[in-house]
Amino acid sequence: MRLITEPYLNQVSRWPQTGRHILAQYDDQSIVVYQAYRPAIGHFAATHGYFGGEFSLERMSWIKPNFLWMMYRSGWGIKTEQEVILAIWIQRWAFEKMLLQAVHSTFIPEIYLSENAWKIKLKQSQVRLQWDPDHHPSGDKLQRRAIQLGLRGEVLANYAKDWILHIEDISDFVQQQRQNINSDCAELITPRETVYPVIDQQTQNKLGLSAWTE
């Protein structure tokens, strides 16, 4: 498996406990995002290295850079039509482009001039931004917020084929680690994640990112 992993308990003490942060595994060229699909879609993507076959470009597709948020959403790969968990390496500049284009799924008065202006931007945007409560491996809600991005239109088409560097089916790893949630997660191994740095001040402000220093 290409993912770099580390004991969960080693990492959690380094993560911010509150605020809006993008937790992710990344390097200079790429960032890992996660998606969960039914086997027909997930196996095609892992085999071919892009999304095709039964994958629909007509529906919004959500990506999550935070592993544990994906685990909560998919029930650790147990939920119907979310059995195949994919780790997807995409080009980092493409992720930055998504952040730049993203429009919040709810009206934020501090960011948008008016509710009507926000509705127009939301309708036109091909990237939807949502902050949700992050979750403990057991499923308990945390104070920290996790980001997910909904893609559609040309952005989704580019993501599905052109922006992907590598796709890996990590379903077996997920099921192994699901057994390690008990005993206070002492045996739990998760992908190594740190706070993703958004350098552009305008993007920082739009996302509503919380301040953080390692």
Side-chain angles (χ1 to χ4, degrees):
M1 190 172 72
R2 186 180 294 191
L3 278 173
I4 301 169
T5 59
E6 187 177 349
Y8 165 74
L9 292 181
N10 287 6
Q11 299 193 71
V12 69
S13 62
R14 302 196 302 260
W15 292 339
Q17 301 303 302
T18 61
R20 294 185 179 91
H21 304 277
I22 302 174
L23 281 177
Q25 183 165 136
Y26 61 91
D27 57 28
D28 290 344
Q29 286 77 41
S30 66
I31 179 171
V32 180
V33 297
Y34 300 95
Q35 293 191 281
Y37 286 105
R38 65 179 186 271
I41 295 177
H43 291 160
F44 181 100
T47 299
H48 294 86
Y50 68 91
F51 288 98
E54 295 183 21
F55 180 81
S56 174
L57 293 174
E58 304 306 314
R59 298 176 57 187
M60 183 167 283
S61 186
W62 291 86
I63 61 172
K64 303 167 179 64
N66 180 317
F67 175 79
L68 287 176
W69 170 227
M70 184 74 261
M71 294 306 96
Y72 170 76
R73 184 67 183 84
S74 68
W76 287 83
I78 297 299
K79 290 184 180 179
T80 303
E81 298 198 339
Q82 298 191 57
E83 302 91 344
V84 178
I85 309 294
L86 301 176
I88 304 137
W89 282 255
I90 62 173
Q91 298 183 70
R92 190 164 163 180
W93 66 261
F95 183 71
E96 299 276 358
K97 183 175 182 177
M98 293 178 200
L99 294 179
L100 189 62
Q101 295 184 20
V103 175
H104 292 76
S105 58
T106 55
F107 174 56
I108 311 292
E110 297 81 8
I111 295 175
Y112 304 99
L113 294 175
S114 66
E115 189 166 359
N116 188 55
W118 161 72
K119 287 180 179 178
I120 293 172
K121 280 182 173 290
L122 187 66
K123 185 176 181 179
Q124 295 173 341
S125 176
Q126 297 181 358
V127 183
R128 188 165 295 183
L129 162 67
Q130 199 161 294
W131 288 104
D132 299 282
D134 207 345
H135 288 78
H136 184 271
S138 66
D140 291 344
K141 190 183 294 186
L142 301 176
Q143 299 264 332
R144 184 179 60 241
R145 291 274 167 164
I147 198 172
Q148 62 174 333
L149 299 174
L151 314 179
R152 66 178 181 179
E154 185 179 354
V155 169
L156 178 58
N158 287 332
Y159 163 77
K161 287 196 174 182
D162 300 332
W163 295 346
I164 291 173
L165 298 170
H166 178 68
I167 300 179
E168 197 165 65
D169 181 350
I170 61 169
S171 305
D172 289 345
F173 169 76
V174 167
Q175 293 313 313
Q176 291 167 6
Q177 297 310 315
R178 187 170 63 87
Q179 312 303 318
N180 294 331
I181 298 173
N182 299 323
S183 303
D184 296 323
C185 300
E187 303 298 320
L188 179 61
I189 304 294
T190 59
R192 181 188 298 168
E193 294 179 351
T194 54
V195 174
Y196 183 86
V198 176
I199 306 302
D200 181 70
Q201 188 66 51
Q202 184 178 352
T203 304
Q204 283 184 27
N205 295 340
K206 182 186 70 173
L207 297 179
L209 290 173
S210 301
W212 176 252
T213 54
E214 294 285 350

